[in-house]
Amino acid sequence: MADPISPLPAGLTGDPGITREELQLATRNHGMPLEALRWPVTPTGMHYLLIHYDVPMVDPATWRLEIGGAVRRPRSLTLDELRARPSVTRPVTLECAGNGRARLSPRAVSQPWLLEAVGTSAWTGTPLWPLLDEAGVSDGAVDVVFTGLDEGVEGGVEQRYARALPVGEARRGEVLLVWGMNGADLPPQHGFPLRLLVPGWYGMTSVKWLSVISVATTPYRGYQQARAYRWRSSPDEDGEPVTRIVPRSLMAPPGIPEFLSRRRFLPPGPCELRGRAWSGTGPVVRVEVSADGGRTWSDAEVEPAAAEFAWHSWRYRWEPPGPGDYTLCCRATDAAGRRQPTEPRWNLGGYADNDVQRVEVTVTA
Ligand SMILES: Nc1nc2c(c(=O)[nH]1)N[C@H]1C(S)=C(S)[C@@H](COP(=O)(O)O)O[C@H]1N2
Ligand SMILES: [Mo]
């Protein structure tokens, strides 16, 4: 963690409790209960949800996707025209860049995720690039800007939610325009009728309620690009953009929970710990488990992922030495050699902190 900052810059709180603003966000947006890690594809209602402003109500009959900016043939497409294009269905794990934020101190006043801002869905849609290619992307294009229908005020700036992808990333075959989630239409809260899906990148990139795609010949400087989602340690820094998901593993908490503290209670004897692990620079090549709060580690068994950008399943047979209290941890390492740290990686916005999960358990006598 960085040195405590005093006085705290605007937007940070040192309050050990939860502020009114955080509670308002937490009751609108919800996480995936960690027991849902048992499902390879997260049941739709258990997938996490992050909505900056209001969920727009969209009439699919009048909705259009506009493609414009630096293209030779601007286009306007109906939902039926999009659905008639070649389509693919694949499982992709989505994670919010703010996952873990509420475990930092001081912390950004924003959606106070602990660890549950993740989920995997089977998404159905059509590849983005062929559409842009048909529109004729101009030479000199640098960014592709995706704008949603939802509007709000953030950081004093009135805006529609919008994010850009560099052209080189927008070209990648895995980037989709999706209308289906787990075999049904996208529900309103997940972006009906159409959203962008950028596998491997944190969730903010996957713009929901998509309405305009615009090709730009200068770097996009909108609020969600230039102000939010940047890794900085002080407010006057420009910071580094937050992009791909850093590795994380989570376990489905074993045993049964105490209602308020969520401490877990387990009977004596061997216990199979199970969980999932993922990375935007994957695949995940190793998951380790610790039963002593991260002092010693042992290898778990990791399964191949169902698809390139879906999470891996892992398991570990734990034999508690006897009754007592234990702190269970897990950590993932990916193909790029990135490994989860045991200490938080503090930053102003509380982004991409992937320090290890700690699950407090009591093995009963
Ligand atoms: N238009 C729009 N798109 C958006 C958002 C939003 O508020 N508005 N939130 C983003 C963020 S921060 C995340 S993490 C993901 C969440 O997607 P989900 O709610 O389907 O899980 O959507 C992204 N796309
Ligand atoms: Mo997010």
Side-chain angles (χ1 to χ4, degrees):
M1 203 194 91
D3 293 339
I5 307 164
S6 176
L8 292 175
L12 284 186
T13 179
D15 189 338
I18 206 91
T19 65
R20 168 84 194 206
E21 285 82 1
E22 289 170 301
L23 181 59
Q24 278 178 157
L25 290 171
T27 56
R28 290 182 49 79
N29 300 305
H30 67 76
M32 180 192 73
L34 292 189
E35 61 273 28
L37 288 164
R38 297 185 190 282
W39 279 263
V41 169
T42 313
T44 302
M46 288 206 269
H47 192 282
Y48 88 94
L49 209 59
L50 197 295
I51 298 154
H52 282 233
Y53 313 131
D54 291 349
V55 175
M57 194 172 104
V58 183
D59 176 359
T62 54
W63 175 90
R64 296 287 183 277
L65 175 66
E66 309 290 344
I67 302 180
V71 295
R72 287 185 288 282
R73 293 171 293 278
R75 300 191 59 182
S76 175
L77 292 115
T78 66
L79 193 54
D80 286 343
E81 285 169 332
L82 282 160
R83 284 170 170 274
R85 296 182 64 87
S87 75
V88 294
T89 296
R90 49 176 80 114
V92 171
T93 299
L94 210 61
E95 184 181 16
C96 179
N99 203 10
R101 173 183 290 130
R103 299 156 81 234
L104 300 177
S105 174
R107 65 180 185 278
V109 178
S110 185
Q111 173 68 26
W113 299 122
L114 292 166
L115 287 171
E116 57 296 281
V118 64
T120 297
S121 296
W123 303 98
T124 300
T126 193
L128 168 72
W129 190 255
L131 258 169
L132 285 175
D133 207 30
E134 287 165 30
V137 173
S138 307
D139 300 339
V142 295
D143 272 347
V144 184
V145 186
F146 302 87
T147 304
L149 287 167
D150 49 330
E151 293 182 84
V153 182
E154 196 172 339
V157 181
E158 193 175 324
Q159 57 192 284
R160 290 206 161 180
Y161 186 92
R163 285 275 310 179
L165 258 189
V167 170
E169 291 288 323
R171 272 197 133 89
R172 294 174 64 107
E174 68 264 21
V175 178
L176 303 178
L177 298 176
V178 309
W179 54 78
M181 184 179 183
N182 300 340
D185 286 350
L186 282 178
Q189 66 274 26
H190 288 291
F192 180 86
L194 191 80
R195 80 178 299 172
L196 177 66
L197 185 73
V198 186
W201 283 56
Y202 280 112
M204 73 284 169
T205 317
S206 293
V207 176
K208 303 193 270 191
W209 312 291
L210 186 60
S211 98
V212 179
I213 300 178
S214 180
V215 175
T217 52
T218 54
Y220 177 65
R221 299 284 303 163
Y223 183 88
Q224 304 297 341
Q225 205 81 19
R227 287 305 304 159
Y229 300 108
R230 296 187 83 92
W231 179 284
R232 37 167 102 78
S233 45
S234 83
D236 38 282
E237 277 173 36
D238 198 31
E240 286 299 312
V242 173
T243 59
R244 284 186 177 269
I245 299 174
V246 295
R248 192 193 295 278
S249 56
L250 290 176
M251 76 178 78
I256 57 169
E258 198 274 322
F259 174 57
L260 284 179
S261 65
R262 308 313 287 182
R263 171 173 281 279
R264 314 296 302 192
F265 290 90
L266 272 74
C271 160
E272 189 178 64
L273 301 176
R274 297 187 68 160
R276 307 271 168 188
W278 61 93
S279 167
T281 49
V284 168
V285 296
R286 188 177 192 191
V287 173
E288 296 157 282
V289 171
S290 169
D292 55 14
R295 279 188 296 121
T296 60
W297 297 89
S298 309
D299 278 287
E301 233 177 276
V302 185
E303 282 176 26
E308 193 182 353
F309 296 98
W311 54 23
H312 297 249
S313 166
W314 61 262
R315 63 182 70 209
Y316 177 79
R317 188 183 146 93
W318 180 46
E319 307 222 15
D325 293 345
Y326 299 88
T327 301
L328 302 180
C329 302
C330 53
R331 70 178 178 197
T333 305
D334 71 14
R338 297 175 192 221
R339 191 175 76 185
Q340 290 183 254
T342 37
E343 292 302 317
R345 304 189 307 148
W346 192 90
N347 65 103
L348 200 65
Y351 297 125
D353 166 45
N354 63 339
D355 73 295
V356 298
Q357 178 190 20
R358 302 168 74 86
V359 181
E360 304 298 339
V361 307
T362 298
V363 176
T364 54

